[in-house]
């Protein structure tokens, strides 16, 4: 093998490794401007929704539960008839590995939601769809592990 060919091959290998590392960083990283707030208005402004992990910090691996609090946007109580839960990792194109569900209505608009399992580090998104007399509305939360 000529010295020149060897240099070209080494350069290609270095570029390939750097490219791979950059790709992996993109794959793992959450966008820098991600909204990490755990209290917000639902998308159409109907409800004030907040999410509190029952264990802190949220860990990769074990089952996790949250308390979701739903009120009218002005803070008044609302009779929630249904909460749907969806989510996943937007950068990875996969959903939640488990099917979390509401296991208790605790009063004052608070609901315990159990059965989340964050199987990988990175950016997770959780979407709650809330049904109540004022209408159906969604709230998305971002969690970065
Ligand atoms: Cu993933």
């Amino acid at each position: 093998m000529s010295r020149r060919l060897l240099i070209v091959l080494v350069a290609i290998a270095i570029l390939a490794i750097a490219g791979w590392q950059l790709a992996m960083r993109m794959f793992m990283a959450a966008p820098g401007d991600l909204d990490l707030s755990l209290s917000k208005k639902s998308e159409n402004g109907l409800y004030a929704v907040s999410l509190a992990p029952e264990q802190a910090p949220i860990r990769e691996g074990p089952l996790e539960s949250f308390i979701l609090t739903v009120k009218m946007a002005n803070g008044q109580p609302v009779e929630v008839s249904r909460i749907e839960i969806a989510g996943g990792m937007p950068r990875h194109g996969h959903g939640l590995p488990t099917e979390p569900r509401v296991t208790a209505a605790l009063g004052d608009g608070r609901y315990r939601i159990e059965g989340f399992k964050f199987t990988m580090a990175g950016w997770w998104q959780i979407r709650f769809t809330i049904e109540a007399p004022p209408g159906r509305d969604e709230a998305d939360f971002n969690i970065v592990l």
Side-chain angles (χ1 to χ4, degrees):
M1 192 187 292
S2 76
R3 191 187 181 95
R4 194 188 175 91
L5 180 60
L6 186 66
I7 289 168
V8 168
L9 287 176
V10 167
I12 289 170
I14 288 169
L15 283 174
I17 290 166
W20 173 253
Q21 285 178 338
L22 185 67
M24 285 309 291
R25 252 204 311 276
M26 298 274 294
F27 187 69
M28 296 302 293
D33 58 350
L34 210 54
D35 171 15
L36 296 174
S37 65
L38 293 178
S39 286
K40 56 183 69 178
K41 292 273 172 18
S42 54
E43 252 153 60
N44 295 323
L46 292 181
Y47 308 114
V49 187
S50 58
L51 185 67
E54 287 205 284
Q55 312 78 12
I58 300 165
R59 291 161 302 168
E60 179 188 343
L63 286 170
E64 302 279 353
S65 58
F66 292 85
I67 303 296
L68 183 76
T69 303
V70 182
K71 301 201 161 169
M72 294 295 297
N74 64 8
Q76 300 281 42
V78 62
E79 194 69 38
V80 173
S81 55
R82 185 179 164 82
I83 298 171
E84 289 165 22
I85 302 139
M89 297 186 81
R91 284 267 161 96
H92 297 183
H94 64 75
L96 297 174
T98 55
E99 289 183 22
R101 57 195 187 88
V102 177
T103 55
L106 304 171
D108 295 329
R110 298 185 313 128
Y111 299 87
R112 173 172 288 121
I113 300 176
E114 292 185 271
F116 287 93
K117 190 172 173 72
F118 301 103
T119 46
M120 314 170 77
W123 171 30
W124 291 81
Q125 206 168 44
I126 306 175
R127 164 167 297 175
F128 297 97
T129 305
I130 294 148
E131 280 180 18
R136 189 178 160 91
D137 206 355
E138 293 175 355
D140 287 349
F141 293 91
N142 296 301
I143 290 172
V144 177
L145 296 185

